[in-house]
Amino acid sequence: MADNRKNKRYQTLARARMEGVTENEIVVKDLSITGCCVECTVQGAFKPDCQYKIVIIPETAANIGSFELLVETKWIRSSNYSCDIGFSIIESPKGKSFQRYVDYLSWRSSAGLNSTQAV
């Protein structure tokens, strides 16, 4: 699937919150300017082709505050203990923070660093 993407996805360990959907912690596995994949321990909380507001909390090393995205579910893959959800990004009300974070992830990727090596 990743080979067919217009925009490169960058691995991240950002956290996310989705009030009203789940109070459990959500991990953002990858992110691009057009989409993201999250991992959640709550199965059945998400529906295909539905819109959600998600608050992204970047890892501390990024030195970027949290920001909100409006996303739409594109696919859901469930396993025994969790599920991965793929979203397309529809809107980012705080676009500058979102763009700064994607730029940070791009820089980190090009520098050959992973999320545990970034300072």
Side-chain angles (χ1 to χ4, degrees), residues 7-67:
N7 300 93
K8 182 177 179 178
R9 291 275 180 105
Y10 301 104
Q11 292 184 344
T12 177
L13 291 177
R15 295 177 294 122
R17 288 191 320 261
M18 296 179 80
E19 293 178 22
V21 177
T22 177
E23 301 305 317
N24 294 13
E25 186 170 293
I26 299 169
V27 175
V28 182
K29 295 173 72 173
D30 63 43
L31 180 73
S32 78
I33 212 73
T34 58
C36 65
C37 175
V38 303
E39 181 177 10
C40 180
T41 56
V42 176
Q43 297 186 21
F46 299 93
K47 297 182 185 343
D49 301 317
C50 287
Q51 293 184 5
Y52 299 95
K53 286 185 182 177
I54 183 169
V55 176
I56 305 290
I57 306 150
E59 54 262 38
T60 306
N63 200 25
I64 297 168
S66 62
F67 54 90

Side-chain angles (χ1 to χ4, degrees), residues 67-81:
F67 54 90
E68 187 176 280
L69 298 174
L70 178 62
V71 297
E72 182 175 338
T73 311
K74 291 300 176 187
W75 54 264
I76 301 168
R77 290 190 194 119
S78 295
S79 65
N80 292 336
Y81 301 105

